[in-house]
Every structure is written in C-alpha cells, then in structure tokens.
Amino acid sequence: MCFKNLPIEFDEQGNARLKEGVTDPYSYEVKELHPMAGPGADEEVVRKLLERNGHIRRVDFDPVTRVAGALAFHTVVDLENRTVLETDSMATLFRGYEVILKGRDPRDAIFISSRACGVCGGVHATCSALALEMAFGISPPPMGIIARNLLLSIEYLYDHPLHLFLLAGPDYSEPAVRETNPELWERAQRSTAPSRNLHGFETIAEIMTAMTPLTGKLYAEALHMTRVAREAYVLIGGKYPHPQTIVPGGISATIDISDLNEMHLRIVKFFDYGQKVVGIWNDLVEFFYEANPQYADVGTRPKNLIEPGQWDDPFEFDATYENANEWGRKRWAPPAVIVDGELVTTDLHAMNIGVEEFVEHSFYEEWTGNGNGNGARFETDPAGNPLSPYHPWNKETIPKPSGTNWKEKYSWSTAPRWDRMAMETGPYSRMWANALAMEYSHLNYIEPTGHSLKLNVPGAGLPAQVHEWHVPERWGAFERNRGRAYCILYSALIAYENLLIGLDLMRKGETKVSVDYKVPKDFRVGAGFWGAGRGYLTHHIVMDQGVIENYQILTPSTWMASPKDPWGNPGPYEEAVAATPLLENYEKPEDFKGIDILRAIRSFDPCMPCTTHISTGDRMITREVVTCACGVEDDDDHEH
C-alpha cells in the first residue's frame, strides 16, 4: 500500500482511485498552534517567562538567506538543559514567478523561471523545458537528452563543492571550532586523519585550518573547482547561471567532438577531487562522532525523503505523462518516496498525485472553492489518477501579506507534503533512491546493493578505486554533509557515462540535438520532474490559447523551509533544529553562539548570506560568516 494518509487505493492492475464511501476525501481540520514566544503571543507572558528563567532565551537568526529567497529562523532555547524548545522557519521574501508567468508565451517560462535562483538557474530552465515538452507533445532526440544530462551533472559538480566548503564548510573550520568548542580544537591537533593518503592532511586540525574562509586551501580549491565546472557548462549551455540554449525539444547549440573533449578534460578532474572530498568529510564526521556521540543527533529527523528522478535515458524518454512510470524508472536516478527509511514507491504517478501544498501558516490565500464541486479544477491527472484540490496543477498563487504571527501566518513558503507528511530532499535523496531501487538501475560505474552505493571511480591522477556510500543508520546534519561529498563522485560518474554515450552517438552520426515544434493553441497541461543541487524540483503548467494559464514551481527549499502544516507538524528545518542538542561550549547565556543550530540548518544547504545576525533578546550580534562566492562585505556599519 503506497498511501497511509490520503484516501487513495490501487486496484489489481495498479491503477489509483479514491476510496469508496469517503464523502469529502481531501478535507481536513486545522490544529491551532500554541507557540511559547514570538510575534502575536502575549508579550507580557513571554517577558515574565524570560525574566524568571535566565537560561530560557529567545534566539532569532535573521537574516538567513536561502536559495530563491530569504530565510529567518526563530527559536526558543533552554541553555541549562541544552535543548531547543521551539522552532519557526520563516521565508521572508515573496518571489512571485507564478504570478509573473501568467498570460505569457510558454516559451518565456524557460528564461524567466531560471531567474528563480542565481546559483542553480540551469536546473529551472531544463525543468521548464520538460514541462513544455509534455504539454507540447514533443521529446528531444538522444543527443539532446545527453546534452541535458551533461548540463545537469556539471551543474551539480559546481554546486556540491560550493556547499561543502563555502556554505556549510566554514562551520567546521578552525575559527568556528576554536570559538565554540576549544576542547575540540585541542583534540583535533592531536588526531591523525585516517584518509590522509587521499587528501594529504596529516591531522584533523590541518583540515579545519584548510577550511577557513578566504585563506584556507580547501576553501580556495573549492572556489577553483566551481570555475572548472562552469567552464564545462558554458561549452553547450552558452552561459551560467542562466543558460540561453535550453529550448523545448532539446538545446539550440550544436555539439561537436571538440565540445565533448573539452567537457571530458574537466569532468575527469572531479574523479580525483571527489575522492579527496570524500576522505575529508569521512574524517571530519568520524572525528566529531568520536569526540562526542551526541553530534550524530544534530539536525536529526525521520528518514522521510522524496526524489522525482533525473537524468533521462536518451533512448527511452518520450516526455509523455502516460508513460512517466516507464521512462521514470529508466532514469539514472529513479523517482522514489522513502518513508522511515523504507522505499514505498518508485512510481512517478504515485509520487506526483501524493503531493499537496498548504498555506494555513503562509502569507497566501487558499484557492480551493474556485473551480468545480470539490474545489479543484482537475479531479484527475492525465492518466486518470485522482488529484487533490491542493495539488500544484490545481494551486493558484494568491499572495496575502500580513503581520507575522507564529500561531497563524509567518512565512512566504508554502507547506508541501507527500501523503500529508513532511518530506526532505537533497542530492543524497537521489543516491538513496539508487541504493534502494536497485532493480531499476542501469549504471555502468555505480553499483546499488540495497543498502549502499558502490562508486567505481576510474583512475586519473589517483588510481582507480571503489568508494561506498552507506545509507546512514541515523540521519542528521553530519550525514547530510557526508552524503553531499559522495555526490561529487556520483555526479561525475553519471556525467562520464553520458559523455561516453554522446561520443558513441557522434561516431554514428546521430548529432541532432533538438526537434521542431509549434506552440499548441488548445488546452494542455504538463509537468517537469527534475532536480536541483538541493533536491526535488518540479514545474507544473496549465496552458490554453497558446499562453500560460497557470504555472507552479515547487523547489527543494520550499519543501525544507516549510512552515508548519494544517495539523501543526513542523517542516524539515523546524523538525531538525528542534531535535538538535546544544553542544557548544559556553559559560554564560550571553556567550551562546548557536553553532549547532546553524550546522543543522546549513546541512540542508539553504544558501547563506555573507553575514548572519543572531538576536538574543534585545542583543544583536553581528558575525562575519563567509558562505558564498558572491563577494565579501564588512556588514558592521550597515543598518538591519
């Protein structure tokens, strides 16, 4: 049985249908929230609570900018018992791409939606093209699909080093560890690095020093490797981050043997680099676990993950929704929904129809009641499966700004749920899908075992070697970062395999990279199921008379920065921070820095700004935290 909470069952042929006898199948009751502190609460009660208990403090992280928007995070912490009592994730910026795209030529969506993110705009362009292809009834030729797969892999090869050493890495660097846990720094100086033959650092302390922002060798090397990946991307993408060659039906650039050779030279560099990064993060993670086993609890949450699948088979993909289950399982990373660590479906239809978005605690109006009897425009998907009125194909983006109230509305993010459960997504979700859905794999360099992935890395500067990523027993912040390290090798191997297929196609003279098409004038729907560096990405389009009638983008950050849902269940950031023990070394409450909370949030990769402010009561601490390659700015003289 695939669904536990939604009123959907399957017949003997595997077709989904609504359960009989349920009068209002998608209805629900909203649970009232009772936060301890925050806007909208009784401030006098809060003030007395904080006065009586000096160890209980309201700690606000604001701003914490994520990809495709700004993120603020509200917490109440008990510094005596070293626990987090309350968490609220607040997306502070309305983007409005769905509103901007209404009434436009659907081909505009590729270029406008790519602006949703300045770090990973290429994935939005391709996801939009996938949605248009489904709506237009076209699909790219094999070389066009190979080009798309190469661009995706290369974008990941840019994104993963960015996260590991420029976004999350500074929290594990010498300055951060010295300041928050000096006893760990002393231990690191005495601790030999087990993988020193891979990465060249003798001690854990040397690794931490090399991760120091701006001056550290690993920081600078990661910045260089992002350039190597971008150089490969622009060979056929035209430019980055907003490519100009992605079109419905393929790409608009020609590809010759020189392009593929130039890509090859850059992709193989990530074989050595990926092995080095795996060694570094294995050493770091195990060091922290040995120093204090409680670090395994930082950022923990249930093993509930969602993955739409990506990297299409160039000979099987036809872009139709009706055949999505077949071509979805042929992808290098298959679609998957994982609940409590168990694979519950690899069916792309089931994954899609289980998705809903809720806005009870978001700055939007509900859209239900505007269509047919059950409040939905579409009662079924194109394959006849039931659709919720809260599904993206039925959703309308209706902004409703208001004051922030933790009991009511407090975020511009919606609350996406699958089977009414909060789901996490990330680069590790696609590795997890590959590891568990082993019967669907057709990889030449990656071997799924049902509980791990064996990565057979060809020799380059380092000798050929097998690295194995194991599905973690305990899922938390440190394992997210460790998994991201393995994703460099995973992405490089998939890029390499696609490159070899592309060379073979070129040898056979199959160099066509796109198909002709006409924008249909009748009513059409489409969906792009793809991925970003941070995980799950879908675009859903409804079009009529040759223009966009409705367009919905569901990003990985929306899943993970989600506010609480109608039943009061927290989003992944909120859940992970609530489970985090406060392990930093502080003698007085005013010395508290919040490093463990930051490690928990940053493990999800919500792009940080160059400076993070921590507000504890009336006190504002400004700390320079270099986290991106967009430049450095001394923020102390700025007003916030």
Side-chain angles (χ1 to χ4, degrees):
M1 196 66 182
C2 183
F3 296 104
K4 293 181 179 179
N5 302 310
L6 285 178
I8 299 175
E9 61 184 6
F10 295 87
D11 62 20
E12 293 179 355
Q13 289 72 42
N15 300 313
R17 65 190 179 193
L18 288 175
K19 293 179 179 178
E20 295 182 3
V22 182
T23 55
D24 195 358
Y26 290 102
S27 64
Y28 59 86
E29 293 184 3
V30 178
K31 179 182 178 181
E32 184 180 358
L33 300 182
H34 297 283
M36 178 180 297
D42 188 327
E43 291 299 324
E44 182 63 21
V45 172
V46 173
R47 186 183 63 80
K48 290 181 179 179
L49 174 67
L50 299 177
E51 284 180 355
R52 288 198 306 268
N53 302 280
H55 57 278
I56 295 179
R57 303 174 73 85
R58 186 166 62 199
V59 182
D60 294 331
F61 299 78
D62 188 7
V64 180
T65 304
R66 66 178 174 89
V67 170
L71 176 70
F73 208 89
H74 164 74
T75 68
V76 175
V77 298
D78 182 341
L79 296 180
E80 183 176 306
N81 294 304
R82 294 179 171 269
T83 57
V84 181
L85 303 177
E86 181 188 332
T87 63
D88 296 286
S89 175
M90 178 184 176
T92 60
L93 182 64
F94 174 61
R95 305 284 281 176
Y97 285 94
E98 295 91 345
V99 177
I100 294 170
L101 284 167
K102 271 192 173 184
R104 288 183 176 268
D105 186 308
R107 292 167 294 187
D108 290 347
I110 291 176
F111 304 104
I112 293 175
S113 68
S114 83
R115 270 68 184 175
C117 181
V119 175
C120 52
V123 295
H124 282 282
T126 301
C127 193
S128 182
L130 287 164
L132 297 184
E133 287 161 6
M134 187 178 289
F136 291 4
I138 60 173
S139 61
M143 186 62 90
I145 294 173
I146 288 296
R148 175 181 294 168
N149 290 346
L150 284 169
L151 290 175
L152 179 70
S153 304
I154 291 165
E155 193 161 1
Y156 290 163
L157 294 177
Y158 153 80
D159 216 6
H160 298 335
L162 187 74
H163 167 76
L164 290 168
F165 296 105
L166 279 73
L167 304 182
D171 292 335
Y172 303 86
S173 67
E174 177 185 343
V177 175
R178 270 180 181 268
E179 184 175 5
T180 59
N181 290 94
E183 74 284 359
L184 281 180
W185 171 247
E186 293 175 6
R187 183 187 180 112
Q189 292 176 295
R190 304 189 304 268
S191 300
T192 301
S195 303
R196 55 191 177 278
N197 290 337
L198 272 179
H199 53 61
F201 296 102
E202 289 296 321
T203 66
I204 300 298
E206 288 181 19
I207 295 175
M208 292 177 174
T209 300
M211 296 177 78
T212 302
L214 298 181
T215 60
K217 292 181 180 179
L218 288 171
Y219 184 97
E221 183 182 29
L223 195 58
H224 169 71
M225 294 307 291
T226 65
R227 174 175 178 171
V228 171
R230 290 195 301 272
E231 287 174 349
Y233 192 100
V234 300
L235 288 166
I236 59 174
K239 69 185 186 69
Y240 191 85
H242 308 303
Q244 296 296 298
T245 63
I246 306 297
V247 295
I251 68 170
S252 61
T254 57
I255 302 178
D256 58 27
I257 192 70
S258 175
D259 296 323
L260 295 183
N261 285 337
E262 288 291 332
M263 281 189 168
H264 176 265
L265 290 173
R266 289 162 175 83
I267 289 170
V268 297
K269 290 182 179 181
F270 285 91
F271 293 165
D272 288 352
Y273 181 68
Q275 292 192 67
K276 177 179 180 178
V277 173
V278 162
I280 286 165
W281 279 94
N282 276 335
D283 288 356
L284 276 174
V285 170
E286 295 305 324
F287 167 79
F288 275 89
Y289 286 178
E290 291 171 8
N292 186 343
Q294 280 190 286
Y295 278 109
D297 297 324
V298 172
T300 53
R301 65 176 305 276
K303 299 175 183 177
N304 295 342
L305 298 97
I306 190 166
E307 166 60 44
Q310 50 209 285
W311 291 295
D312 288 307
D313 187 314
F315 309 107
E316 298 290 338
F317 177 70
D318 68 3
T320 65
Y321 188 79
E322 288 75 13
N323 295 331
N325 290 339
E326 285 69 38
W327 55 253
R329 291 190 180 107
K330 296 291 186 179
R331 289 177 152 184
W332 268 263
V337 177
I338 297 163
V339 177
D340 293 329
E342 299 295 326
L343 183 68
V344 298
T345 187
T346 56
D347 187 309
L348 194 51
H349 288 170
M351 187 216 73
N352 180 53
I353 66 175
V355 174
E356 299 175 289
E357 288 187 73
F358 301 99
V359 295
E360 274 72 14
H361 301 294
S362 308
F363 298 128
Y364 301 97
E365 289 186 17
E366 288 193 13
W367 57 88
T368 55
N370 297 326
N372 56 31
N374 71 352
R377 179 170 187 173
F378 302 106
E379 292 186 339
T380 62
D381 68 5
N385 301 302
L387 278 186
S388 166
Y390 306 102
H391 185 273
W393 262 324
N394 287 318
K395 179 191 171 192
E396 291 183 45
T397 301
I398 310 171
K400 185 181 180 180
S402 64
T404 300
N405 187 320
W406 302 134
K407 292 176 63 177
E408 297 174 4
K409 293 182 178 290
Y410 62 89
S411 179
W412 280 107
S413 175
T414 62
R417 296 292 184 266
W418 187 86
D419 195 20
R420 303 202 163 170
M421 294 182 288
M423 308 299 289
E424 180 178 343
T425 185
Y428 33 76
S429 66
R430 59 190 71 113
M431 288 203 306
W432 215 313
N434 259 144
L436 300 187
M438 49 190 299
E439 69 270 27
Y440 300 119
S441 177
H442 62 113
L443 305 166
N444 289 327
Y445 297 94
I446 300 172
E447 179 186 348
T449 68
H451 56 81
S452 68
L453 275 186
K454 292 182 179 179
L455 307 172
N456 298 289
V457 185
L462 294 173
Q465 190 168 340
V466 177
H467 293 269
E468 188 171 7
W469 175 78
H470 296 270
V471 172
E473 292 184 7
R474 190 157 181 78
W475 185 238
F478 284 77
E479 295 302 337
R480 289 187 191 95
N481 290 325
R482 192 208 300 255
R484 193 69 174 263
Y486 279 88
C487 280
I488 294 178
L489 291 176
Y490 176 71
S491 301
L493 292 173
I494 292 175
Y496 187 62
E497 185 170 353
N498 275 271
L499 183 78
L500 296 180
I501 295 173
L503 288 169
D504 187 57
L505 287 171
M506 189 160 290
R507 180 180 60 82
K508 295 175 180 178
E510 298 179 28
T511 57
K512 186 179 180 181
V513 292
S514 64
V515 296
D516 296 331
Y517 66 90
K518 291 184 178 179
V519 178
K521 300 299 181 183
D522 56 337
F523 185 85
R524 302 286 183 100
V525 300
F529 303 101
W530 206 231
R534 289 146 196 83
Y536 178 111
L537 177 65
T538 59
H539 287 208
H540 285 76
I541 185 174
V542 179
M543 55 178 289
D544 196 14
Q545 302 298 315
V547 299
I548 296 172
E549 192 171 275
N550 193 17
Y551 200 97
Q552 293 296 324
I553 302 171
L554 185 48
T555 69
S557 292
T558 309
W559 281 96
M560 296 186 288
S562 155
K564 294 171 181 64
D565 61 26
W567 306 276
N569 301 312
Y573 291 171
E574 296 177 334
E575 193 172 22
V577 171
T580 295
L582 306 179
L583 304 176
E584 73 175 80
N585 194 327
Y586 55 86
E587 295 182 1
K588 298 176 291 185
E590 52 267 30
D591 295 334
F592 179 66
K593 303 290 191 303
I595 187 66
D596 301 300
I597 293 174
L598 289 171
R599 283 176 180 148
I601 301 173
R602 287 173 176 160
S603 67
F604 293 92
D605 192 13
C607 265
M608 298 291 137
C610 295
T611 301
T612 296
H613 304 283
I614 300 182
S615 168
T616 59
D618 296 328
R619 184 164 169 255
M620 178 72 76
I621 304 171
T622 302
R623 296 164 45 239
E624 187 175 279
V625 183
V626 179
T627 57
C628 64
C630 55
V632 181
E633 168 175 83
D634 184 355
D635 230 19
D636 288 351
D637 295 329
H638 292 188
E639 293 183 6
H640 298 275

